[in-house]
Amino acid sequence: MTSIKEQAAISRLLSFLQEWDNAGQGARNHILDCFIKNNQGKTAPELEQEFSQGASLFLVRLTTSLRINYMAGLCLDKVLRSLGIFLSAVSSNRYLVEFLEVGGVLTLLEILGQEKIKEKDKKESIKLLQIIANTGRKYKELICESYGVRSIAEFLAKSKSEDTQEEVQVLLDSLVHGNPKYQNQVYKGLIALLPCASPKAQQLALQTLKTAQSIIGTTHPSIVDCVLKVLGTMHLEVQYEAIQLIKDLVNYEVRLALLKGLVALLMPSLKETSKLQSKILRDSSVLQLTAHLPMFLQQAAAAKTIGVLARRDFSVAEELLNLRVVHSLMVAMGNTDHSNSQRLASLTLEYFVQMFPVVEEHVHKSMGEELYQLFLSNPEDLYMKMDSIQADILADNKVNISRTLYLHNRSCSDASFAFGPHSADQMTCITQSEEDAESKE
């Protein structure tokens, strides 16, 4: 038999549940306010004590209210916060299972895709998904199996609140950790986010991709094109994250494709530049926009990125020389339509000139004495001091160091075979090979 105290507790529980069942929207709002205020941070045993071992009876009412009313948004934020108290409580696995059994994950994901639902309510939905994901691997898999990655990524791209977007990043980061079955799905979802229109979403996706890349250990081929396109952004914080990711990507199998892509960005296609020129002839106002054209922004960012990579790893600098980076940098220096491209390309070329005597010789010869001395005196300000003829000299340069390097490597290899690695003949082979190359030009 139950004691008088237990009977009174059960009576209070039944009275509370009856009050909820008969309450209108205003009364339920009040009930939820009191519940949130009095139960925040409680453990599962404490919640059971509060509800006379019948906390699940109130939980089922909350989940039912969520599923029925979420489209209308009635008390939605308070219902979600109340569910959070149950799901985040210590020893709350039973509550979590009960919530999932009635399709809780699908409902939370559907909330993210509803345009009429307020942003703050979607943020609460993301927080609940975080709690679920952090509970363990099988729960992360459940979210992914419910097409969660797509829903979450699309919400990140469309969200207008940076605070909410940062909560989404936390969720995506959780889904990529300890989730071997679906980590590639999350990785591809992050790549798909890169072309989106939200700079904050791009920034957060790039940050999370950097983490995901180290976990997965392999790359998807599409990542090269997507990251290079991001370099066309006007937002420096996004460009910074893209460069940080590129610094990691050069250590993977996409290294050559990435370096080729960066060098190619230094020379925008004739089709694009001629399209711009025709617009300028038709409309002088286009002149004001040229500084912000994606192809010029990409050109400047590529020059900067190449400088970062080359200074960081000498072997990368050597590979870039073989890809005719010096020729392309000089072309960018001659782009009088975009001064930032000129400035950044000049600073990067300075590094190659300082590090490689062969580059110094070819650049000096191509520029001529006057322009070369201007370049040496202050590479960063060169674009302000040179005239249109000198800009044309840079834009039309024919420098081809890759051919010289090929002849050098071949002749040095022959010398090493014949005389040994420390032969005096080998020390002079680069000079001879350069002379051979110049005589063939």
Side-chain angles (χ1 to χ4, degrees), residues 194-259:
L194 295 184
C196 77
S198 166
K200 185 65 175 180
Q202 289 179 312
Q203 180 187 12
L204 296 174
L206 287 163
Q207 289 175 351
T208 314
L209 263 173
K210 193 173 186 298
T211 302
Q213 192 61 70
S214 63
I215 293 170
I216 294 170
T218 58
T219 55
H220 191 275
S222 66
I223 196 170
V224 173
D225 189 46
C226 289
V227 173
L228 292 179
K229 283 181 179 176
V230 172
L231 291 178
T233 181
M234 294 173 59
H235 301 270
L236 292 179
E237 69 278 10
V238 179
Q239 183 191 107
Y240 171 82
E241 296 298 342
I243 293 173
Q244 295 306 303
L245 179 58
I246 288 171
K247 283 161 65 175
D248 285 352
L249 289 175
V250 292
N251 298 315
Y252 292 87
E253 62 271 20
V254 294
R255 174 180 180 130
L256 181 58
L258 194 57
L259 296 181

Side-chain angles (χ1 to χ4, degrees), residues 152-164:
I152 295 163
E154 287 180 352
F155 174 57
L156 174 58
K158 294 177 182 178
S159 174
K160 304 300 181 184
S161 164
E162 292 193 358
D163 287 343
T164 302

Side-chain angles (χ1 to χ4, degrees), residues 28 41 65 83 87 153 172 177 190 255 260 265 309 313 327 354 360 372 388 396:
R28 285 191 174 183
S65 176
L83 285 168
L87 299 185
L172 288 169
H177 282 88
L190 290 166
R255 174 180 180 130
K260 282 183 176 179
L265 290 180
L309 297 178
D313 188 336
H327 165 73
Q354 290 173 344
E360 179 185 18
Y372 185 68
S388 58
D396 296 332

Side-chain angles (χ1 to χ4, degrees), residues 10-243:
I10 292 171
S11 178
R12 284 197 303 273
L13 172 63
L14 293 176
S15 176
F16 171 79
L17 295 175
Q18 187 175 21
E19 180 186 0
W20 172 269
D21 292 340
N22 296 329
Q25 182 182 347
R28 285 191 174 183
N29 260 325
H30 178 70
I31 293 171
L32 291 171
D33 283 335
C34 292
F35 174 77
I36 293 167
K37 180 181 178 181
N38 297 327
N39 296 283
Q40 195 75 48
K42 284 188 175 180
T43 64
E46 289 172 334
L47 288 171
E48 287 301 321
Q49 185 178 2
E50 176 73 19
F51 284 92
S52 306
Q53 309 307 311
S56 289
L57 295 174
F58 184 49
L59 175 60
V60 74
R61 282 164 170 77
L62 288 174
T63 55
T64 301
S65 176
L66 177 68
R67 294 176 63 200
I68 292 173
N69 297 319
Y70 80 88
M71 290 285 288
L74 301 176
C75 308
L76 185 55
D77 61 329
K78 294 173 183 176
V79 169
L80 290 168
R81 288 168 63 194
S82 299
L83 285 168
I85 290 173
F86 278 102
L87 299 185
S88 63
V90 176
S91 305
S92 63
N93 192 62
R94 188 183 80 184
Y95 301 147
L96 179 59
V97 170
E98 290 172 0
F99 179 70
L100 298 180
E101 283 178 346
V102 295
V105 165
L106 284 172
T107 304
L108 295 176
L109 292 172
E110 286 172 11
I111 287 172
L112 301 180
Q114 300 299 318
E115 292 185 7
K116 294 181 180 180
I117 294 179
K118 296 176 182 177
E119 185 94 359
K120 65 175 184 176
D121 297 335
K122 294 180 180 182
K123 183 178 179 179
E124 290 299 328
S125 183
I126 288 292
K127 287 182 177 179
L128 290 184
L129 288 166
Q130 288 174 5
I131 293 169
I132 295 167
N134 291 336
T135 305
R137 173 177 168 178
K138 68 178 181 179
Y139 299 105
K140 293 177 183 181
E141 291 178 352
L142 176 61
I143 293 172
C144 294
E145 287 165 359
S146 305
Y147 301 99
V149 174
R150 179 176 178 177
S151 300
I152 295 163
E154 287 180 352
F155 174 57
L156 174 58
K158 294 177 182 178
S159 174
K160 304 300 181 184
S161 164
E162 292 193 358
D163 287 343
T164 302
Q165 288 177 309
E166 287 170 0
E167 293 290 349
V168 179
Q169 183 198 26
V170 171
L171 175 57
L172 288 169
D173 187 72
S174 176
L175 290 176
V176 86
H177 282 88
N179 189 14
K181 187 175 180 181
Y182 290 103
Q183 62 188 19
N184 271 300
Q185 186 183 100
V186 182
Y187 176 66
K188 292 175 184 177
L190 290 166
I191 295 174
L193 268 170
L194 295 184
C196 77
S198 166
K200 185 65 175 180
Q202 289 179 312
Q203 180 187 12
L204 296 174
L206 287 163
Q207 289 175 351
T208 314
L209 263 173
K210 193 173 186 298
T211 302
Q213 192 61 70
S214 63
I215 293 170
I216 294 170
T218 58
T219 55
H220 191 275
S222 66
I223 196 170
V224 173
D225 189 46
C226 289
V227 173
L228 292 179
K229 283 181 179 176
V230 172
L231 291 178
T233 181
M234 294 173 59
H235 301 270
L236 292 179
E237 69 278 10
V238 179
Q239 183 191 107
Y240 171 82
E241 296 298 342
I243 293 173

